[in-house]
Amino acid sequence: MKRHIFFDLDGVILDSMKYHARAWIEAFSQLGLSFSEEEIYLHEGAIELDTARTLFTSRGVNPTKEFFESTFRLQKRIFLEKYAKLVKPYPQVPDLLESLKKDGRRLALVTSSHAEILEKVFPKSLEKFFDVIVTGDKVSRRKPHPDPYLTALTTLQADKGDSLVVENAPAGIKSAKSAGLFCVAIKTTLPEEHLKLADLIAEDHTHLSELLLNGSLKREGKS
């Protein structure tokens, strides 16, 4: 069993991705661009210009840094004004976090969202479960780069072999694997075909709880 568990935020702890996606779609619409929810999900967490560039070039737009940053600000404003108040944790999450802490695990929250977004959507009641919180504005490079998880590892003084990441999107999985970490992907936003870089795939939060709490990683030869 892994002692240190690093959780992504959106689509793992919070049922929030549909709201982030809507805000992105509305922001893009104001710029005359049209995207599907799945396209947004596939780029979840990859909010640097170099990693999100294909979103724009696929629509014939070659984005400048200024264009990208203004689009990102517009999306954040739409999300905070219209959708942040609708975000809630997945129902199984509080009990899962409490059980993990009682089991002696050390937990980290690792998200590409900035601290200002976290302040609006993350319930205070869940903060107590996390030993470390790493937001996108605390690292020089966000997911899919390894920096967020390397920062969490260093802060927790955790061994990679005794650590595990829970993610739900390709950028986060790539970030975890690039940091040398075991990764469990959960199918909250994307089907299995997009999560194949992960070491294990959880069907839902009930399955995830079984994997993390009941020794399933060891039984499946993945410990």
Side-chain angles (χ1 to χ4, degrees):
M1 299 299 292
K2 309 292 187 182
R3 183 176 178 228
H4 304 95
I5 302 179
F6 304 158
F7 288 93
D8 178 37
L9 179 66
D10 299 300
V12 175
I13 297 295
L14 299 182
D15 185 6
S16 53
M17 271 311 301
K18 56 192 172 187
Y19 302 119
H20 283 290
R22 289 173 193 174
W24 275 116
I25 289 169
E26 289 180 32
F28 286 138
S29 178
Q30 292 187 30
L31 300 170
L33 302 173
S34 177
F35 292 92
S36 67
E37 280 196 6
E38 183 174 74
E39 286 178 294
I40 304 300
Y41 292 156
L42 285 170
H43 286 80
E44 178 192 341
I47 54 175
E48 304 284 1
L49 178 56
D50 61 338
T51 51
R53 183 179 296 277
T54 55
L55 272 175
F56 299 97
T57 56
S58 67
R59 297 301 190 273
V61 176
N62 186 20
T64 63
K65 181 180 179 181
E66 293 74 19
F67 176 86
F68 177 77
E69 290 178 350
S70 65
T71 305
F72 186 40
R73 287 194 298 271
L74 177 59
Q75 189 272 346
K76 285 200 296 183
R77 180 172 60 77
I78 293 171
F79 176 78
L80 288 172
E81 290 178 357
K82 295 184 63 174
Y83 297 115
K85 60 182 177 293
L86 303 176
V87 172
K88 298 183 185 306
Y90 287 98
Q92 304 94 329
V93 161
D95 287 344
L96 171 59
L97 297 178
E98 184 171 10
S99 296
L100 288 169
K101 292 301 289 185
K102 286 181 178 178
D103 200 33
R105 314 297 184 88
R106 300 185 73 202
L107 309 182
L109 184 68
V110 183
T111 176
S112 289
S113 290
H114 284 197
E116 64 179 304
I117 299 292
L118 194 72
E119 177 69 23
K120 297 292 184 181
V121 300
F122 192 56
K124 300 296 183 185
S125 60
L126 298 185
E127 286 186 6
K128 63 185 178 183
F129 296 118
F130 291 94
D131 300 279
V132 171
I133 294 178
V134 178
T135 53
D137 49 325
K138 289 185 178 179
V139 294
S140 57
R141 299 183 303 171
R142 303 180 188 91
K143 303 172 188 178
H145 300 290
D147 305 43
Y149 286 111
L150 293 176
T151 298
L153 277 166
T154 299
T155 306
L156 274 181
Q157 296 183 318
D159 181 81
K160 290 183 181 181
D162 199 22
S163 302
L164 175 152
V165 170
V166 183
E167 277 282 355
N168 70 301
I173 297 169
K174 185 176 180 180
S175 176
K177 297 309 298 177
S178 296
L181 294 168
F182 188 96
C183 184
V184 177
I186 186 169
K187 293 164 57 176
T188 52
T189 53
L190 289 167
E192 186 170 337
E193 64 187 276
H194 297 301
L195 308 174
K196 290 182 178 179
L197 286 179
D199 297 285
L200 284 176
I201 296 176
E203 293 294 320
D204 51 29
H205 281 83
T206 298
H207 187 200
L208 177 67
S209 297
E210 293 171 357
L211 291 173
L212 298 183
L213 291 168
N214 299 334
S216 298
L217 295 178
K218 186 173 182 178
R219 286 199 299 272
E220 294 179 29
K222 298 288 187 177
S223 64

